[in-house]
Amino acid sequence: MSALRERLRISNLPKPARYSLGALGLVFLFLLPNKWFYEYLGIPLGFAYIPLYTTKNDMASVLFICTWIILLSLGLNVVVGYAGLLDLGFFGFFAVGAYVVALLTSPESKLLTEYNWLESPWPWLVAVPIGIALSLLAGVLLGWPTLRLRGDYLAIVTLGFAEMIRIVAKQQDWILNGDRGIPEVGHPPGSVGGEPLFSFDAKPYYWLALCVIILAVFLIRNLVRSRVGRAWVAIREDEDAAELMGVPTFRFKLWAFAIGAAVGGLSGTLWAGQANFVNSTTFSLENSILVLSAVLLGGAGNIAGAILGGFLVIYIPEWLRSVGDVFGLPETVTVGGSTYDISPTSLRFAIFGIVLIVVMIFRPQGLWPNRRRAAEIQHRKKEVAVGE
Amino acid sequence: MLLEIDNITLLYGRIQALHGVSLNVGQGEVVALIGANGAGKTTIMRAISGIRPVASGKITFNGEDITKVRADLRVIRGISQSPEGRGVFPGMTVQENLDMGAYTRRDTKEIAADLERVYGLFPRLKERRKQAGGTMSGGEQQMLAVGRALMSRPKLLLLDEPSMGLAPLLIQQIFEIITEISKQGTTILVVEQNAQQALSRADRAYVMETGRIVKEGNGPALLDDPAVREAYLGAA
Amino acid sequence: MNIGELLRSFPELTVTGVTQGAIYALVALGYTLVYGVLRLINFAHSEVFMVGTFAALFTWGLFGLDSNTERPSIGVALLAILAAIVVAAVTSAAVALLIEVTAYRPLRHRNAPPLAFLITAIGASFVLMEVAGSLTVRRPFGVPALLPSKPLFDIGGWAVTPTQVTTVVVAIAMLVGLDYFVQKTRAGRGIRAVAQDPNTAALMGVNKSRVIALVFILGGLMAGVAAVFNDIKTGSTKFNVGFLLGLKAFSAAVLGGIGNLRGAALGGLLLGLIENYASALFGSNWRDFVAFVALIALLMFRPTGLLGESLGRARA
C-alpha cells in the first residue's frame, strides 16, 4: 500500500507525466472562475446535488480571495514554516502594501488633496514595487529589534505590531483617513476592446494573482533549496546549535522576516487594486490568525501545504454557506420564545474551528506536510510517556 | 523477584536504544548496572519508571505487570527514582523538594519521621532546608535527589549516576550512604559509570553495551573479570 | 501631548487604571498558569472570559435584574454580585476544562508539536466565539445597574466608587488566595513541580493530566470573576468581548513575565495604569497603541518580562 503510494507521488512520476499533469492543473485553475465551467462541478448525492462552487458569493470573487490569502500563506510559510518564527501579526505587512498602493494611486489620497506631495495619481504598476519595498522595509524595521526575542515573546510583539498598524489606520484625521478610508484605488493596466481589463470584476484579478503565485512559488522554492533555506531549517530545528555551527542566525531570521513581509505586501497591493477601497476594518487581527491557521493547517514548511491551507481557510467557510442552501436547512430556530440564527452562514466559522481542531488531532503535521517534518512528527508520536 | 524485566526494546525516534534487555532485581538486593556512555543505562531507568514507553517486552514489579502503568502510578506501587542529572526542582526549597518526594503519601506523621531519617542521612540538607534547590552545589543536589527519592518509602530505589560530577571524597560518601540505605531494607538498582565503587558495593551487577546486556554476575566477581577491568576500570 | 489633562485628572486616571488593571490581572493569571505548566499560549482563554460575562448576566436575570430594572438595594446588589461571581467562575472553569479535554489533551496524547496546539487553540476560540455570536444574534447585551455610582469617598479628587472598591478588593482576594494555593498546598506544589520539570514531577508521583486540568480550572475561575466585574464596569457585553480583553490580558502576562503569577498581577496593574495615563496624554484613540508600544519597549530591555518566568523552568 505505502509502496504504491510512494510510486504514485507526483515527484516520483516520469518527467513528461509530471509536466502534463501540471499543465492540466493550470488549465483547470484558469478555467475555474468561468460559470460555464464551474457549474458542472458538484457531487450528486441521492436526490440532492451539492455544488462544489459557491452560491452565496460570486465564485470568481471567492477564488480571488483564495489567491491573495494563498500569497499571504506563502509569505508567512517562509517565516513560520521554514525559519520557525511565530508571527501573529502578519497581516500588518499586507496592510502596508495595500495602503501604499491606495495612497499613491487614488485621486482621493490625502497625499494629493492635502499635502500636495503628488501631482497626480500614479499608475498601479508603479505603486506595486514601492508597496513591496516598503513592506520589506517594515519587515526589517520590525525584525531588527524583535528577532532577538524567542518564541512566544516574538509572537506577542508581532501581534502588537499588527494591532498598532490597525490603530494608526483607524485615526480619522490622519493620512490614512480611518474608517472612511481611501476610495478609487488604481487598477492594473490593460484593456480588451477599449474596455479596461481590470475593473470591478474579480476574474482578471484572479488570473493575475494566479500568475503572481506561480512566480512567487518559483522564487521561494529556489530560495528554500539554496544555502539560505538550509540555514533556516537549521535555525528552526535548533537555534543554539545553528549559532554554534557558525550560522549567523540573526541575519537569516531577518532575511526570512523581510522576504515574508515582501510577499505579504505584494498580496496587499493586489487586493487593494481589486477592492478599490481601503480602510482600517480589513486589517483586523482575526485575519492574521486566519492566515496562520492556513499555514499550519496546510502543513508548515511546505509550499504546496501553504497553498492548500490558504485555499481551504477561505473556501471551506464559503462553501459551507452554499451547502445550507442546497439542503434547505432552516436559517433560524425558535426556542422558548427566542429566535436563534443557526444558518451555516452564521455558524461557518464555528464549523471551521471544529475542522481545525479535528485536523490537528489526527494530522498534527498538517494536511500536506514537508516529508522531513512529517517523519519527525511520526517519531514524536511514539515517544509519549506511558499511559498519557 | 521484586523487579523482572523481560526482553524489552525501546525506540528514540528511529534509533533503537534497547535491543531486548532482560534483568531482574531480588528483594533486598543492591544491583549495579554499568556500561559506557550511551550504552542505554539511563534508558532502562526511564523504562522502569515509565517516563519512556517500551516498544516490546514486559516489566513486572512485585508480581504485577506494570508495562502499561503510568509513571505516577508506579511511584504509588513503590518505585522511586533519583533521575539522571538529579532533577532537583530549582525553584523549590530543599524542604519543598523533599515534600515532593512524599507527594503520593498522606500519612503526615510518618512523613515527618521519614524527613528526620533523611536529614539524619544527609545532615547537610537540614542546614540548607530553606535554600532554593537551584542554588545548591552539585554534591548537595545529589544528596537532595537521593533523599527525595527515599521520601516515598520505595520498595525499589532507582539511582541514576549518583556519583556524576562529584569530587572523589563525595563519591565515597554517597556510596556509603547507599550501603546504609540498603541495610535499612530498601532494594536498590544503581546505574553507574564509576564501576569500581558500584561493583564493590553491589550484590550483583549487569554490564551493558550498545543497548544490550553483555555480562552479568555478582559484583566482586565482575570486579575481577579481566574484560570488565579493561573496559571500565582502566586497568589491564 | 496633553500633560495638563494628565495632571488634572491624575487621581481619577489612577483609580480607573487600577480597576482596569485588576481585571486584566485576573484574566492574565489564566494565560500565565497554563503557559507555566504547558508552555502553551491558550488563545481560547479569551472565550473562557467571554462565557463568564454571559453567565453573570444570566445569574442577574434569575434575580429579576436586567438593564431596564431599577437599581436594587445594596444588600440585594451585593448578593447578586456574589451569586454572579460563583456562577460565572464555575461556568468559566467548566469551559476552560472542556477546552483542555477536547482541544489539547488529544494532542498531548499524540505528542503533537507546539504549533499544532496553537491551531487547536484558535479553533476552539472560533467555535466558542461563533456559537456565542449565533446564540446572541451578535448584539450587545446591557448589564443591570447594581451598585450606586456615587463615590464612596472623595478626598482631594481621589474619588472611588463602590464598583471600583469591590472590583479591586475581590481581585486582590483572588490573587492572594491563588498565590497561597500555589505556594503552600500540596496540589500547588504539584503544579510548580510540573512547571519546573514535568518528567521529574512524574517520578514523584504527580499525575500530570490532573495538574493540567487543575491549572485550566484555576485559570477559568479567575477569568469568571474578572468577567463579572468587566460586565459591571463596562455596562454591557457581547460575543466578541473576549478578543481585545484577552489580547490585553495576555500582554499583561508577558509584561510581568509569563509563567509568573505575581508577574501577571503586576503586569495587569501596570497595563491598566499605562492605558489610562496614555489616553489622557494622547487621546483615547491612542490608548491601545501606547499599551503595545510600552510592551514592546519593555521586552527590548527585559526579554522575559519584568519578573521573569519564575513559575516555569527557572533559569538558574
Side-chain angles (χ1 to χ4, degrees):
Chain A
M1 180 63 202
S2 67
L4 181 69
R5 249 166 66 182
E6 194 62 23
R7 201 170 330 146
L8 284 180
R9 261 181 201 285
I10 295 174
S11 51
N12 294 347
L13 289 175
K15 250 189 182 167
R18 246 191 307 168
Y19 286 153
S20 32
L21 255 179
L24 219 64
L26 279 183
V27 170
F28 174 80
L29 287 176
F30 276 94
L31 288 179
L32 203 52
N34 292 304
K35 193 164 195 300
W36 53 262
F37 183 74
Y38 68 66
E39 259 186 337
Y40 297 99
L41 301 173
I43 311 167
L45 193 88
F47 59 96
Y49 176 78
I50 303 176
L52 283 178
Y53 54 92
T54 56
T55 54
K56 287 270 176 183
N57 255 333
D58 163 43
M59 180 74 167
S61 306
V62 173
L63 284 173
F64 177 62
I65 300 173
C66 287
T67 52
W68 59 259
I69 290 279
I70 285 173
L71 260 181
L72 279 166
S73 313
L74 283 171
L76 186 60
N77 183 40
V78 171
V79 181
V80 176
Y82 290 115
L85 304 166
L86 187 52
D87 185 347
L88 290 182
F90 196 64
F91 228 73
F93 302 119
F94 177 92
V96 172
Y99 267 117
V100 168
V101 165
L103 282 173
L104 292 177
T105 64
S106 163
E108 299 280 314
S109 158
K110 283 192 176 175
L111 290 185
L112 275 97
T113 56
E114 272 183 36
Y115 299 91
N116 292 321
W117 288 359
L118 301 179
E119 290 285 317
S120 60
W122 289 11
W124 182 83
L125 212 51
V126 182
V128 167
I130 296 174
I132 296 172
L134 288 181
S135 307
L136 191 139
L137 188 68
V140 173
L141 284 181
L142 175 68
W144 189 261
T146 60
L147 282 175
R148 288 168 223 276
L149 297 172
R150 289 210 171 180
D152 304 308
Y153 290 97
L154 181 65
I156 179 72
V157 168
T158 50
L159 207 155
F161 159 75
E163 194 59 8
M164 282 157 65
I165 289 197
R166 195 184 62 80
I167 294 167
V168 171
K170 228 176 138 55
Q171 306 308 315
Q172 293 292 357
D173 45 350
W174 268 45
I175 196 167
L176 302 180
N177 214 14
D179 289 345
R180 266 179 296 151
I182 306 169
E184 294 183 57
V185 179
H187 295 295
S191 60
V192 177
E195 286 289 305
L197 179 57
F198 292 92
S199 56
F200 297 98
D201 184 10
K203 219 189 291 178
Y205 281 95
Y206 165 73
W207 287 325
L208 175 67
L210 215 50
C211 298
V212 173
I213 287 175
I214 293 167
L215 195 71
V217 166
F218 271 104
L219 287 176
I220 293 174
R221 207 175 62 146
N222 284 334
L223 204 61
V224 167
R225 288 179 180 179
S226 71
R227 205 171 61 91
V228 182
R230 284 195 300 277
W232 285 341
V233 173
I235 291 170
R236 189 189 75 205
E237 289 183 351
D238 190 339
E239 192 173 336
D240 292 323
E243 183 91 53
L244 287 174
M245 287 188 306
V247 178
T249 54
F250 177 73
R251 199 197 312 160
F252 280 110
K253 288 200 292 189
L254 197 59
W255 257 111
F257 226 62
I259 290 165
V263 177
L266 170 64
S267 174
T269 61
L270 278 174
W271 172 81
Q274 198 267 339
N276 200 239
F277 171 72
V278 178
N279 78 354
S280 63
T281 55
T282 324
F283 310 119
S284 63
L285 268 176
E286 285 95 330
N287 282 328
S288 287
I289 289 172
L290 194 72
V291 176
L292 182 68
S293 46
V295 172
L296 297 176
L297 181 71
N302 193 24
I303 292 173
I307 293 175
L308 180 68
F311 172 73
L312 289 179
V313 295
I314 297 305
Y315 179 76
I316 290 181
E318 272 303 328
W319 179 69
L320 284 171
R321 298 173 65 173
S322 324
V323 175
D325 266 7
V326 172
F327 288 104
L329 292 178
E331 297 267 304
T332 58
V333 62
T334 306
V335 180
S338 319
T339 302
Y340 298 108
D341 185 355
I342 56 152
S343 61
T345 310
S346 157
L347 285 175
R348 67 193 199 279
F349 271 102
I351 298 168
F352 176 61
I354 294 171
V355 170
L356 283 182
I357 295 175
V358 171
V359 170
M360 281 301 122
I361 289 175
F362 293 104
R363 273 187 85 85
Q365 68 272 41
L367 293 169
W368 193 343
N370 165 316
R371 268 206 249 178
R372 176 170 177 170
R373 256 212 154 153
E376 279 166 29
I377 287 166
Q378 279 306 317
H379 288 303
R380 285 178 66 104
K381 228 187 224 178
K382 294 186 192 133
E383 293 181 9
V384 193
V386 184
E388 282 269 338
Chain B
M1 282 291 155
L2 185 61
L3 175 76
E4 286 172 79
I5 294 178
D6 185 19
N7 202 20
I8 58 169
T9 58
L10 194 148
L11 305 167
Y12 283 137
R14 62 185 86 187
I15 301 155
Q16 186 161 4
L18 296 180
H19 305 261
V21 170
S22 299
L23 65 79
N24 47 52
V25 181
Q27 185 73 49
E29 276 188 311
V30 176
V31 176
L33 190 58
I34 62 170
N37 251 336
K41 306 184 302 283
T42 294
T43 309
I44 291 188
M45 292 303 220
R46 290 188 178 150
I48 299 172
S49 55
I51 296 293
R52 287 281 171 172
V54 296
S56 68
K58 190 173 158 189
I59 303 173
T60 314
F61 181 71
N62 220 0
E64 181 195 2
D65 180 357
I66 58 161
T67 319
K68 299 279 175 208
V69 173
R70 226 170 46 215
D72 57 294
L73 299 176
R74 295 187 196 193
V75 179
I76 294 172
R77 283 166 174 70
I79 300 178
S80 182
Q81 185 179 358
S82 160
E84 185 197 29
R86 300 159 197 144
V88 165
F89 295 111
M92 291 192 195
T93 63
V94 168
Q95 173 90 50
E96 284 177 318
N97 263 286
L98 292 172
D99 284 342
M100 278 311 299
Y103 190 81
T104 53
R105 296 171 58 186
R106 305 274 186 181
D107 46 345
T108 326
K109 267 195 194 141
E110 300 284 299
I111 293 175
D114 283 349
L115 193 63
E116 282 314 311
R117 176 180 160 227
V118 168
Y119 282 149
L121 284 170
F122 304 101
R124 188 96 181 138
L125 294 182
K126 192 164 187 175
E127 290 164 28
R128 309 241 148 169
R129 218 167 35 209
K130 302 267 181 224
Q131 194 177 327
T135 64
M136 302 215 300
S137 74
E140 289 163 343
Q141 289 197 8
Q142 191 61 63
M143 292 175 191
L144 180 53
V146 175
R148 187 180 60 183
L150 284 174
M151 287 300 292
S152 67
R153 274 204 183 170
K155 295 193 179 77
L156 172 65
L157 179 62
L158 306 172
L159 298 173
D160 198 342
E161 304 263 9
S163 76
M164 184 153 60
L166 298 190
L169 201 67
L170 271 175
I171 295 180
Q172 185 69 29
Q173 210 181 334
I174 280 271
F175 274 98
E176 270 161 21
I177 290 167
I178 291 171
T179 310
E180 175 63 27
I181 294 168
S182 163
K183 278 194 193 136
Q184 291 177 9
T186 309
T187 308
I188 297 172
L189 174 62
V190 57
V191 155
E192 259 301 330
Q193 284 199 60
N194 187 328
Q196 174 75 49
Q197 280 287 350
L199 292 179
S200 61
R201 293 183 185 265
D203 299 315
R204 287 190 306 115
Y206 294 87
V207 181
M208 278 196 88
E209 265 168 35
T210 57
R212 293 181 179 83
I213 302 258
V214 291
K215 228 178 203 104
E216 66 168 296
N218 69 40
L222 280 176
L223 206 51
D224 292 333
D225 186 306
V228 172
R229 287 191 72 84
E230 186 177 356
Y232 303 105
L233 298 170
Chain C
M1 284 250 275
N2 191 343
I3 294 172
E5 173 65 22
L6 175 68
L7 294 177
R8 220 173 5 262
S9 342
F10 187 77
E12 189 200 332
L13 292 169
T14 307
V15 172
T16 48
V18 169
T19 314
Q20 182 67 61
I23 293 173
Y24 287 156
L26 285 174
V27 181
L29 285 170
Y31 286 102
T32 243
L33 276 165
V34 170
Y35 188 88
V37 167
L38 286 178
R39 308 270 119 183
L40 161 76
I41 304 173
N42 177 16
F43 259 95
H45 190 59
S46 49
E47 310 323 317
V48 170
F49 167 84
M50 178 273 292
V51 172
T53 65
F54 282 102
L57 214 57
F58 173 79
T59 317
W60 291 324
L62 296 181
F63 276 79
L65 298 167
D66 63 43
S67 51
N68 300 320
T69 48
E70 283 285 305
R71 189 197 318 282
S73 68
I74 290 281
V76 174
L78 287 177
L79 192 66
I81 291 175
L82 189 66
I85 287 176
V86 173
V87 173
V90 170
T91 313
S92 289
V95 172
L97 187 61
L98 185 74
I99 293 171
E100 138 65 4
V101 172
T102 55
Y104 300 141
R105 187 167 293 181
L107 290 184
R108 266 205 317 282
H109 287 183
R110 292 170 168 79
N111 202 17
L115 283 176
F117 286 85
L118 191 67
I119 292 302
T120 54
I122 291 168
S125 182
F126 272 161
V127 173
L128 287 166
M129 188 154 87
E130 294 300 319
V131 168
S134 295
L135 290 178
T136 59
V137 212
R138 289 165 203 275
R139 82 181 164 82
F141 284 75
V143 170
L146 291 165
L147 292 169
S149 50
K150 200 166 90 43
L152 270 183
F153 58 85
D154 186 339
I155 305 162
W158 293 80
V160 179
T161 66
T163 301
Q164 288 165 333
V165 170
T166 330
T167 308
V168 173
V169 166
V170 173
I172 290 175
M174 297 298 289
L175 287 167
V176 171
L178 182 69
D179 199 59
Y180 178 84
F181 183 82
V182 172
Q183 295 298 334
K184 299 290 178 203
T185 66
R186 176 176 172 274
R189 261 205 312 276
I191 292 175
R192 283 190 293 149
V194 175
Q196 291 176 21
D197 187 341
N199 276 342
T200 306
L203 294 178
M204 301 295 117
V206 180
N207 182 342
K208 199 175 152 201
S209 288
R210 199 177 295 166
V211 164
I212 291 167
L214 177 63
V215 156
F216 275 88
I217 290 172
L218 287 174
L221 290 175
M222 299 290 148
V225 175
V228 173
F229 289 105
N230 196 64
D231 274 356
I232 299 174
K233 179 174 177 291
T234 59
S236 77
T237 186
K238 210 180 161 192
F239 74 102
N240 62 2
V241 67
F243 189 81
L244 190 62
L245 197 126
L247 186 59
K248 294 287 189 56
F250 176 55
S251 304
V254 174
L255 198 63
I258 192 157
N260 184 326
L261 295 184
R262 292 173 194 178
L266 179 66
L269 184 67
L270 271 181
L271 195 65
L273 287 172
I274 292 172
E275 275 189 12
N276 274 275
Y277 295 147
S279 57
L281 270 179
F282 307 103
S284 58
N285 286 342
W286 294 98
R287 202 178 84 145
D288 299 344
F289 190 87
V290 174
F292 286 119
V293 170
L295 175 72
I296 294 174
L298 179 101
L299 286 180
M300 296 299 99
F301 296 105
R302 285 195 68 95
T304 52
L306 283 172
L307 300 186
E309 305 176 336
S310 89
L311 177 78
R313 274 165 238 163
R315 294 187 176 149

